[in-house]
Structure formats: structure tokens, C-alpha cells
Amino acid sequence: MSIERDSDNCIDQFLLRDDYVPPTGLKRILLTKYRDWPVYTFLLAFAQIIAANSYQITLLTGEIGQPAEKLYIIAAIYLVTSTLWWLMFRRMQTIYVLSVPFFFYGLAFFLLGLAPRAGSDYGRGWMQNVATAFYTTASSSGAFYFSLNFGSEGSANVATWNFRACVIQGSQQIYVMFLWFWGSRLAKLTTHGVTTSSLVQYSADLSAITTPIAVLMWAVGVILFLGLPDYYRQTPGQVPSFYGSVMRRKVVLWFFFAVIIQNYFLSAPYGRNWKYLWSSQHAPVWTVAILVVFFFIGVWAAFLWLFGSLSLSHSWILPIFAVSLGAPRWCQMLWGVSGMGLYVPWAGSPIAGALVARILWLWLGVLDAIQGVGLGMILLQTLTRYHITFTLVCAQVVGSASTMVARASAPDKMQAGIRQQVQRSADSTQTNNTDPYEYGETTLPDEYVNLPIDHFGGHPGTFGNRFWVVEDLYKTGSPIFVFDSGESDASSDVYETLQNDSSVSRQMLNEFNGMGIVWEHRYYGNSLPFNSSNDTGILTAEQYQYLTIEQALADVAVFAQNFSRSNFTSVNLTSSYVPWIFVGGSYSGARAAWMRNIYPDVIFASYASSAPVEAKVDLSEYNEQCYLGVNAYGFGNCTQDVKAVIAGVDAIMGGTNASAATALKEQFLGIYGNDTDTADHTNAFFAQALTNDFPGFFQWYGIEDYEAGVGLRSFCDWMSTDPESNQTSGAEGWASTKGVEWSINQWASYPGLYCADGYCEGSDDQLSDPDDIAWMWQYCTQFGKEQYPKALPLVSTRFFQSANLGPNQIVSKYYSIPFLASMCQQQFPDAGPSLLPALPAADTTNAQLGGWTIRPSNVYWSSGEFDPWRPLTPLSNETYSPDYALTETAPSCNSNSSETTDNGKQAGSVFGYLIPDAEHAFDLDSEYFEVAENRSRQDFTGALQSWLPCFKPGEKGSSTSTSSTSSSTTTPQKSSAAGRDGGVLRSLVALVMVFIFLLGD
């Protein structure tokens, strides 16, 4: 061919066909390059990024977890649609598999915007579920966008591919972090009351946001369909022995194995791990955001430059580095969900500790993302695009299956099961025909309100929560008082609280012409979200995952925001128009403080008596308070003998003479005649039985007897009186003169000797009362503390109040934290670690709820001088507790004076009263402590009279607290678990389809 001919026919030099037509219009625009990236590659990279997690759309609604059955459904959709996309890819032009997913993305956002228009929580929940299904369908195409991007280029060097992969992966990480921030933020707002998160969950305004997004998604799909280069307008050809050749590649089999391991063992803590990043109570959000930018832009860019440069001469440097990292994701999850990252004392301050902890988390996240890129590069350098596509799609299928298997069978298991909901009408007025109550029989009917089982997640069910109302004193405009029953069946409290004119609560209603409500806590009494499968009232661990502090607080908030009465149809009784006052003692007292702190727009003021707002795994101080109180009441000789007996018992049980230990246990426990295996009792169970005779009474009754001959006074009189001479011991007790054996025999012969019911018959027994089990679930998962219901002064368990080792020890050393933790595992054997932590998540509870540093306005605090729970209240005098100045001078409405000192402690005044010579919540029980009850009540009611004028009906924020900086909002992990988690939260979890795309992640 001559040079002249070449010049006349220059197109030949590009080896193009004679019928070649240059791209025009949209195709030409999409082939326009920015640097070395054609425009269409940005759109495909965008699709890859938004497919990062098939469940992420639910984060936009504030839902950060899902029950097991939803996970199974979503994972199954993901698995099936991954297969369908592959079949489409095999049989149709590639443009279809790259453009059609955007149709489903658009539908997902469109339905998400329509969800608030549904007429009920159930309808809204299911519209969001359908939107999630569409998003899952679309995101299961993510593998194609990774493997088929830059298809118009014949080839590119390894350095270029490293650069592109790192840019996309880094962008994806930032996007996912933003989604988790948004989801966590909305869930936290939800804990402040439904109205504050109405933009997303309850307002039709959401469609104004999601509809444009839906249109954008559809537009991107159309643009890709019409404008992708001709390379994508081909149908893949047939490859002989294609599937066999893929499976012969060891790197592919290794990749599948890694996906299985990753999803089986790491899917459950996935959601809780991401939640950790934004969950700090101390570090401001903006500081964490700066760290995210620094690591995933600054540090990430440094890695990008480094490996881009090294790859020019060492093409396998990034894959080798990735493999050498080991398991950074495992390390990151261990740091984020185990509790290790919640407290870094050597950092110097709470804020510094929170930031240092998240710096380590983000560093491990960068390494994990780099490893994902490296694993993806292994595939890119060893397989063709066609083989990579199949490998990644197959990984999605295998990963989905592994996640479902993990949820059903792994140590972290949660089975879906079929839940039978308790259906009750919100207007039900069932008459209470039970036996007479402790103080009298109420004439008030049971009433029920339908509430969501899960306020913060995807469970669409509702349940009937029981309450009682007394209206006979009410005058329009007066406050509504909520008297919380806490951790018990509320029916026995109704008469005393609402109808007995001598009770503290009834006197409050009289003084303010108020309406009174007794509120029953979810999972207690008849307020059951689920029915047991065997009619025993005992639920499964999975069903208990919705029993969290956060869910129970949200119940009251929703109730107050929608409350009405048929006798007051012309009056708006909701918390926006009438001041709602929350009154409680003990756990209910803590709930009173939390309600005002978290829902200041709902609860106008609170009376928090003996409120243990600080969670603590080991409350040995409980027993120390008992010791100090009994001594202060003049029974020091009794405590000296108790100390001597405990030391002697521990020495016998810890000795080498097994028969002596058995004889000792039989001496105490054989008295009941119902224990055929006394010798089988562990030392810890025997120690537990002894605690009920001394500390067990003190909380509710002090030194006085519970009934004739049963109580601490009778016990101490018995221990301190010589039955032969009828003489009383001196201050040093009898053990110092008669010997420890004499005192042991004296204790063992005490007529009122108590052995915890159910545990005298062996160490394998479980609680059988549904209310006791519900409370056990709460303190095993969130509190780390337990208390005695007033109606049952001697209950079968005393958990996480271990021996007060030291000079004042009155509880056996065998009553220890490991033993108490084992009881939780024994009671809930079907609970994996994602539902039931090895130890109560006290640090997480404090981080979410604020602990004893909260200082919400319009709250009155009280406690007894010797209250065993005082160490966990703002009135604590422990050396490690926050500083405060106690005052009986009421602060002005909606104000407080808390501040943070240089040592990180919370200071300022606490409005309240420390009741001299009193124990637990005595000021709410006129039967036992009339003088203190009057003074404490007068302090509160006087303050309330001064606060009420500042309430402005219908004015948003009129009751808002100027709460302290230490106050916190929380996202109930599913809990759990919570989630709680939970936590916490073995939710999102599954949707792990994170392994998916990209880069093997």
C-alpha cells in the first residue's frame, strides 16, 4: 500500500470496518474523557458504589436492624436475583444488565417516599419492606459494574487499574459511612419522640426528597441504555467448558472459601460494627467526620499514590500486601463490638479516648478496604472479564446462602420462627376480675393501646400495652401523671397508686387536679408482644430482643403523643397540649429521668426516686451500703458475726475437706426437706442462698421485719442473742468469743432461714415466672444490676452484686461476677452472643443513655442515705462518681446548672433530697416512711407548681430541657441486641452483601 493511498484512505490505520459510523450524540458524550475516565465509567462506578449493601436503603429511614425472617427474605431475594442477572447477562446484550437495575433503584426510592402516606404503621412498614426488596434486586447487580467497567478500553496497565479500584473503593467507603451516620442519626432522633423524625418516618414530605432521587435513577438507566458504547451492545459468546474452567482455578475456589468464612462468622456483628463509628457520647460528630475524611481521603490517597507507584515495577505488590494483612476486618469488628473500644483510659480524657478509639477503628477500616482492593486485583490479573463476572456473581450467591445459614445455625444464631402477636383493641375496656390486690381491689378497667413491637426497626407487628386511668379528679388544663410500674405486673399497683387516698400518688393527683395513669412496662404482666409457644409465658431469646430500655421508653412517648379519652373528647390531652409528669422509683425512677432527658418534648417534669441511671456490671457497693446501714442502726454486733460466718464459710468451701463443705451445705439447706442433692450444690449457689438472709431484706425494709419474725431485725436479734443465757453480744459479736462455728450453727438454726426458691433443688434450675425472666433479660443484657420487687422481697436471683471483698465483707467470695454471668447463660441457652453478651453491656448503656452524668431540667432526684442503689444515682457519694452539690432549692423551669470540670466529671447542682436513715425509694411509700415521704413530695410538688406556668400548650419546645452536654440519645440495638443492639444489631448484618462487589469485599 502506497503512502499516497494511505493518505487518501487514512481511516485504515485504525483498523476500523468500512461501515464504521463514529459515535454521535449521547454515545459521544459518554465516551468523552475526564483525564483517562470516559464519562460512562463514572455512571458505572456510581452504580457500583450504591450497590455497596443491599439493605442500605433502610438506613435512610433510620432502621438499622432487621429481624431474622426479614434477613432470610432479603438474602433470598439477593441470591435469586443475582442468578437472574447472570442469566440476563448470558443471553442478552450487556446494556440490559447495566441499565435495568436503575429501574428497580428508582422504584425503591419512589415507594420509600410513598410509605408515610400509608394509613398505619403496618402499611408503612410493608411499603418500606417492598422498597427494600426492590433495592435488594437492584444491588444484586453490583458485580457486573465492577467487572465490566472501562469495557471500551482494550487494556490498561496494572497501575491504572490499582488507581481506579482504589478511587471507587474509597468513594464507596465514604458513601457507606455517610449512610450509617444518617441511619444512626435518625434512630437517635426517634428516641427523642416520633415527631422529631417525622421527615423520614411519618411525614409525606419524604416524597419530595425521594421522588427526585427516583427520577434521577430512572434517568441514569435510560442514559446508560441509550448511550453506552457498542462494546456493551454485544451478547457474550459461548465459551467451551466455561463453568468447568472456572472451577479449576484454585484462586476462584479460595475466593469462594473466603466469602463463606467471612459471611458465616462476620455477618452478625456487621451492623453493630458500623454503628460504633457514630455512637460516641463524648466525641462530637464533626470530629469523627474529620477523622473519616482524613483516613478515607488523606490516608487513602497516600496508599493510592504508594501502590500506584510500586505497581509500575511490581504488578503484584498490592495483592501480596493485601494477603499479608491477615484479618483487619475481624480486628476492626472485635474492637468495635466487643466493648474494648468503648473505654481508653490512657488517652487522658473521655473525648480523647473516644477519638483514639475511632482512629484505630478507621485505620483498621482502611486496611480492610485496601485488602478488598488487593483481593479484587488478584482476580483482575488472573481471569478474563467474563470469568470475573461469573466469580463475583457466584460469590454473591454463596455469600447470601452463608449469611442465612449463619443466622440460623452459627453460634450467633437467631431463628426466624413464627411469632404469634397479641392482638388487642386500643379502645379495649376489659374489666379486671382478678383476686383482690395487695392494698385493695381496683374498680378501674384494664385498657390497652396498640404499639409497635419495634419502634426503630423493620418488625411490622404491634402489641397491646396495658394501662389504667383515673379521671375523677381531672380538670381541663391540669397535668397528667404517669406512675410507672417498672419491672413487674402493674395490676397489683393500681388501687394503691390511683385510688388509695393516703398514697403519695393519689395525694399528688388531688393537689394538682390531675389525671393519673398506671403504666405497665412491655413484657410484664399482660403487656406481651408475643405469646409463648408452650403456654408457659416463657419466650425465646429472640423474642426478648425487643425488650430494651430504649423500646420501653419509646412506648411511653408514642402513647403520650396520641392519648385521648372518651370523657374529654373536646380536650387535646396529648403531651403537646397538656404537661405530662412521669413519676417512678428504682428502675421506674431511672425511666423517669431518661424520659425527661430523651423525650423533653413529651415529658414536662419527672420525679426520680432512687433512680440508678448508671449501669455497672459489678455493683459490690450494694452490699457495702447494707453493711454501713445496719451498723448505723446500732446492729454492729450483728454485722461482725455475719462477717465472721462468711469468712468461715468461705474457708470451709475453699478447703480440701469436701465432706465438711457438703455437711455445711446440708446444715443450711437440708432444713427444707425438698433437696435430695444438697451435695451437688456449687459453692456459688450456696453463697447465693446466704445473701437472701442479710442483704436481701435491707433494700426495701431496712432493719425492720418484712412480717412477724421475718426480716433483718429478727435475724440480727437471733444472731446476737445467746439462746442459753438470753444475753446479747457486745459490739464485737459472739464469734470473737464463742468462735465462728458457734455463729455458723446459730445462723443455720435461724427459724426464718431463707433459701432462694427454685435454687435449693439444684444448680440447673431456671426461673419460671415470666416477669422474673423478663427482668433477668434486662439486667443480663443492659444493666448489670438487679433489684427486688416490693411484692416479692426475696426473689430467686441477685445478680451482679458480687461480694464486697475487704474489711466489711458480708457476702461470700463465691458470689462472683463469673457465677452471676453464668446464670444468664443458663436461663437463656438459645441466645447467641449477638443477643446475650457475655457480660451486660453496661458501658454501651451508659454511652447511649448518659449514665449518672445526665442533668435534665425539671427533674427531682431523691435517694435514701443507705439506699443500696445510691452508688448508681446522681446522689452517689462514691469516690469515682460525678461531683455535685445537692440542693432543695428548685431551679427555674427548663434549666439546669451542670457543667464539666477539668477532671471530666459532671458538676453543678442536683435538685433533690437525700433522705436520712432511709433505704430504697422510701419517699414514694407512705406506709414505711411518712416523714421523709412528706418532705420529699413537698419539695417536688412545690417545684412543679413553679414550673407549670412555663408550659405553653401547642407550642413546640415549650417543655424542652436545656439538658446537659452529657445527655445522650440512643439507637436500640436490637438488641441488642440490640442492638440492641442492638443491639445490637445483628441486623443489617446479613445484608452483607458487602462481600459482593468489589473487590471481594
Side-chain angles (χ1 to χ4, degrees):
M1 180 181 295
S2 68
I3 295 177
E4 183 179 358
R5 179 182 173 89
D6 266 348
S7 180
D8 293 338
N9 197 19
C10 60
I11 197 170
D12 288 348
Q13 66 180 302
F14 298 104
L15 302 179
L16 300 176
R17 299 186 310 179
D18 293 338
D19 60 351
Y20 170 73
V21 178
T24 58
L26 189 58
K27 288 185 180 180
R28 182 172 181 175
I29 293 174
L30 292 190
L31 282 171
T32 302
K33 287 190 175 183
Y34 175 75
R35 296 184 181 273
D36 65 340
W37 290 54
V39 172
Y40 79 85
T41 63
F42 288 99
L43 297 179
L44 297 186
F46 168 71
Q48 183 179 328
I49 290 170
I50 64 174
N53 189 299
S54 64
Y55 198 63
Q56 64 193 17
I57 193 173
T58 60
L59 292 173
L60 300 176
T61 69
E63 178 187 337
I64 58 174
Q66 85 275 33
E69 62 266 36
K70 178 176 281 189
L71 181 147
Y72 295 143
I73 293 171
I74 293 175
I77 292 173
Y78 195 86
L79 186 155
V80 171
T81 53
S82 294
T83 305
L84 293 176
W85 290 126
W86 170 253
L87 295 176
M88 177 183 287
F89 172 70
R90 286 277 289 170
R91 290 166 171 76
M92 302 175 69
Q93 295 180 14
T94 306
I95 55 172
Y96 290 101
V97 80
L98 297 178
S99 59
V100 172
F102 280 94
F103 171 74
F104 290 102
Y105 281 131
L107 281 178
F109 282 102
F110 183 71
L111 287 176
L112 185 65
L114 290 180
R117 301 179 185 275
S120 65
D121 286 341
Y122 185 85
R124 179 169 50 252
W126 276 105
M127 289 192 72
Q128 291 177 349
N129 290 342
V130 174
T132 300
F134 281 134
Y135 201 100
T136 301
T137 299
S139 65
S140 62
S141 65
F144 298 92
Y145 297 101
F146 170 70
S147 61
L148 299 176
N149 207 348
F150 297 94
S152 62
E153 299 183 3
S155 62
N157 59 46
V158 172
T160 300
W161 278 110
N162 280 342
F163 177 83
R164 292 169 174 172
C166 286
V167 168
I168 296 174
Q169 179 75 333
S171 302
Q172 187 181 68
Q173 291 295 312
I174 294 175
Y175 171 68
V176 172
M177 286 182 187
F178 166 76
L179 283 174
W180 277 99
F181 163 73
W182 180 253
S184 299
R185 176 64 177 165
L186 289 185
K188 286 181 179 180
L189 288 175
T190 304
T191 65
H192 281 284
V194 175
T195 56
T196 56
S197 61
S198 61
L199 174 64
V200 169
Q201 289 202 353
Y202 294 93
S203 173
D205 294 343
L206 178 61
S207 60
I209 299 174
T210 58
T211 301
I213 296 176
V215 172
L216 173 65
M217 294 295 175
W218 290 327
V220 171
V222 172
I223 290 171
L224 289 175
F225 184 81
L226 299 176
L228 279 174
D230 290 340
Y231 169 83
Y232 296 101
R233 301 179 184 279
Q234 308 173 65
T235 301
Q238 296 297 318
V239 179
S241 304
F242 172 74
Y243 295 107
S245 66
V246 172
M247 294 306 173
R248 285 194 293 270
R249 300 291 186 98
K250 290 183 174 60
V251 68
V252 172
L253 297 179
W254 170 85
F255 184 71
F256 290 161
F257 176 76
V259 167
I260 292 172
I261 295 298
Q262 181 185 89
N263 284 276
Y264 187 81
F265 290 103
L266 297 184
S267 62
Y270 173 74
R272 283 179 292 140
N273 182 50
W274 273 105
K275 181 184 172 186
Y276 167 79
L277 178 63
W278 302 105
S279 65
S280 175
Q281 169 63 24
H282 302 288
V285 170
W286 65 266
T287 60
V288 178
I290 289 176
L291 290 177
V292 170
V293 171
F294 172 76
F295 275 96
F296 279 94
I297 294 182
V299 176
W300 191 260
F303 271 114
L304 190 154
W305 172 84
L306 175 65
F307 287 110
S309 301
L310 294 177
S311 296
L312 293 174
S313 55
H314 304 281
S315 63
W316 277 84
I317 187 66
L318 181 55
I320 291 174
F321 179 78
V323 173
S324 70
L325 288 175
R329 178 175 298 187
W330 182 88
C331 294
Q332 185 196 49
M333 287 189 171
L334 181 65
W335 182 255
V337 306
S338 67
M340 290 192 298
L342 294 177
Y343 181 54
V344 185
W346 49 264
S349 71
I351 293 179
L355 293 177
V356 168
R358 277 146 187 85
I359 286 172
L360 177 57
W361 189 92
L362 287 165
W363 171 247
L364 292 171
V366 168
L367 296 182
D368 175 55
I370 287 291
Q371 186 175 68
V373 175
L375 297 180
M377 292 306 299
I378 293 176
L379 299 180
L380 284 172
Q381 295 191 65
T382 57
L383 301 174
T384 68
R385 286 181 183 270
Y386 199 18
H387 289 80
I388 292 173
T389 303
F390 174 75
T391 300
L392 293 181
V393 171
C394 194
Q396 293 181 183
V397 171
V398 171
S400 302
S402 299
T403 298
M404 289 188 285
V405 172
R407 178 60 67 94
S409 66
D412 222 3
K413 69 181 179 182
M414 286 196 312
Q415 298 171 352
I418 302 298
R419 296 169 172 141
Q420 182 178 359
Q421 299 174 13
V422 182
Q423 299 293 340
R424 299 190 179 97
S425 168
D427 298 323
S428 171
T429 56
Q430 302 171 6
T431 302
N432 193 334
N433 294 318
T434 59
D435 293 334
Y437 297 147
E438 182 179 1
Y439 298 103
E441 184 174 5
T442 184
T443 56
L444 300 174
D446 296 4
E447 299 184 55
Y448 294 87
V449 58
N450 282 327
L451 294 172
I453 291 176
D454 185 3
H455 291 277
F456 316 120
H459 195 294
T462 60
F463 74 103
N465 203 109
R466 186 165 60 162
F467 64 98
W468 294 259
V469 181
V470 65
E471 306 171 343
D472 61 315
L473 302 173
Y474 190 68
K475 292 184 179 179
T476 301
S478 297
I480 295 176
F481 290 81
V482 178
F483 301 102
D484 190 66
S485 66
E487 69 286 8
S488 63
D489 184 322
S491 60
S492 61
D493 297 333
V494 177
Y495 174 80
E496 172 68 12
T497 302
L498 300 181
Q499 297 176 284
N500 185 348
D501 288 331
S502 66
S503 68
V504 176
S505 50
R506 181 71 180 183
Q507 290 172 21
M508 285 186 189
L509 296 180
N510 271 306
E511 181 173 352
F512 290 92
N513 297 310
M515 185 180 298
I517 299 172
V518 167
W519 180 259
E520 186 168 72
H521 194 294
R522 61 164 53 201
Y523 284 82
Y524 294 92
N526 284 354
S527 300
L528 302 175
F530 306 100
N531 284 339
S532 63
S533 58
N534 52 11
D535 297 325
T536 63
I538 300 176
L539 307 178
T540 66
E542 186 189 359
Q543 290 171 322
Y544 278 117
Q545 68 178 297
Y546 302 106
L547 174 54
T548 66
I549 302 171
E550 299 85 352
Q551 297 279 8
L553 295 177
D555 288 340
V556 180
V558 173
F559 175 68
Q561 290 168 327
N562 296 277
F563 183 71
S564 63
R565 303 298 294 169
S566 59
N567 292 333
F568 296 89
T569 55
S570 62
V571 180
N572 191 325
L573 297 174
T574 66
S575 56
S576 296
Y577 290 85
V578 174
W580 280 58
I581 317 300
F582 200 103
V583 179
S586 192
Y587 169 50
S588 295
R591 278 167 51 79
W594 289 327
M595 282 298 301
R596 174 59 183 166
N597 193 53
I598 296 175
Y599 295 97
D601 286 334
V602 176
I603 297 301
F604 176 73
S606 288
Y607 187 137
S609 174
S610 294
V613 290
E614 177 79 2
K616 193 171 187 289
V617 172
D618 184 2
L619 185 60
S620 60
E621 296 88 343
Y622 180 102
N623 298 309
E624 192 73 12
Q625 283 285 97
C626 295
Y627 172 85
L628 296 174
V630 174
N631 277 359
Y633 293 138
F635 290 80
N637 54 353
C638 177
T639 59
Q640 293 301 313
D641 283 334
V642 169
K643 291 197 304 179
V645 170
I646 292 300
V649 166
D650 280 357
I652 294 172
M653 292 194 294
T656 58
N657 190 338
S659 60
T662 298
L664 176 68
K665 296 169 186 176
E666 289 178 346
Q667 183 180 8
F668 278 82
L669 306 180
I671 185 174
Y672 297 96
N674 62 353
D675 188 7
T676 58
D677 298 309
T678 302
D680 293 338
H681 276 280
T682 64
N683 294 341
F685 272 96
F686 178 52
Q688 181 190 37
L690 295 181
T691 64
N692 290 287
D693 289 316
F694 192 74
F697 283 99
F698 187 77
Q699 171 176 317
W700 289 114
Y701 305 99
I703 197 64
E704 302 304 324
D705 284 355
Y706 162 59
E707 58 185 33
V710 181
L712 268 184
R713 179 176 290 277
S714 294
F715 173 77
C716 283
D717 286 346
W718 183 269
M719 290 294 294
S720 303
T721 303
D722 184 345
E724 295 183 359
S725 63
N726 205 33
Q727 290 184 335
T728 302
S729 66
E732 71 282 356
W734 283 124
S736 62
T737 57
K738 294 178 177 292
V740 174
E741 185 176 355
W742 186 93
S743 294
I744 290 176
N745 293 334
Q746 188 73 354
W747 188 335
S749 61
Y750 171 52
L753 186 68
Y754 179 82
C755 177
D757 196 12
Y759 287 117
C760 292
E761 299 180 1
S763 61
D764 295 328
D765 296 319
Q766 296 176 316
L767 295 178
S768 57
D769 182 84
D771 289 345
D772 288 346
I773 297 171
W775 182 235
M776 189 175 188
W777 176 265
Q778 287 195 262
Y779 63 72
C780 285
T781 54
Q782 290 189 290
F783 293 131
K785 56 192 181 187
E786 191 275 337
Q787 64 195 60
Y788 298 97
K790 181 67 177 292
L792 297 171
L794 302 173
V795 298
S796 51
T797 51
R798 294 187 71 247
F799 277 76
F800 302 99
Q801 299 149 5
S802 68
N804 57 325
L805 301 177
N808 302 331
Q809 182 180 345
I810 56 174
V811 172
S812 169
K813 68 179 181 181
Y814 293 101
Y815 195 70
S816 64
I817 293 299
F819 163 69
L820 299 173
S822 72
M823 294 301 299
C824 294
Q825 302 297 329
Q826 176 177 299
Q827 182 67 42
F828 305 104
D830 60 328
S834 64
L835 285 173
L836 181 66
L839 289 174
D843 288 343
T844 300
T845 300
N846 292 330
Q848 293 175 333
L849 298 176
W852 52 18
T853 63
I854 62 172
R855 297 291 186 270
S857 64
N858 298 4
V859 173
Y860 175 78
W861 305 85
S862 64
S863 184
E865 180 182 5
F866 301 115
D867 182 358
W869 295 100
R870 181 185 172 189
L872 300 185
T873 73
L875 277 61
S876 171
N877 61 347
E878 300 297 328
T879 57
Y880 53 81
S881 63
D883 300 325
Y884 68 94
L886 185 62
T887 178
E888 288 186 75
T889 301
S892 58
C893 180
N894 294 333
S895 69
N896 61 48
S897 57
S898 63
E899 59 186 22
T900 301
T901 61
D902 293 338
N903 63 0
K905 289 188 174 183
Q906 195 77 13
S909 62
V910 172
F911 173 48
Y913 179 49
L914 183 65
I915 307 171
D917 298 330
E919 282 74 58
H920 196 54
F922 273 22
D923 53 341
L924 294 183
D925 197 332
S926 56
E927 180 181 0
Y928 288 97
F929 215 75
E930 182 175 350
V931 176
E933 165 262 312
N934 284 336
R935 178 169 175 177
S936 195
R937 187 184 76 242
Q938 289 168 4
D939 283 348
F940 172 70
T941 56
L944 186 57
Q945 292 282 12
S946 69
W947 293 337
L948 284 173
C950 79
F951 181 86
K952 300 296 186 290
E955 182 176 316
K956 183 175 177 58
S958 67
S959 62
T960 299
S961 165
T962 55
S963 58
S964 66
T965 56
S966 63
S967 67
S968 172
T969 55
T970 168
T971 304
Q973 126 23 283
K974 283 199 177 235
S975 43
S976 104
R980 245 120 300 150
D981 99 209
V984 133
L985 229 278
R986 3 144 203 100
S987 47
L988 246 145
V989 177
L991 284 146
V992 184
M993 322 233 126
V994 166
F995 54 81
I996 174 178
F997 357 78
L998 227 6
L999 326 167
D1001 184 47

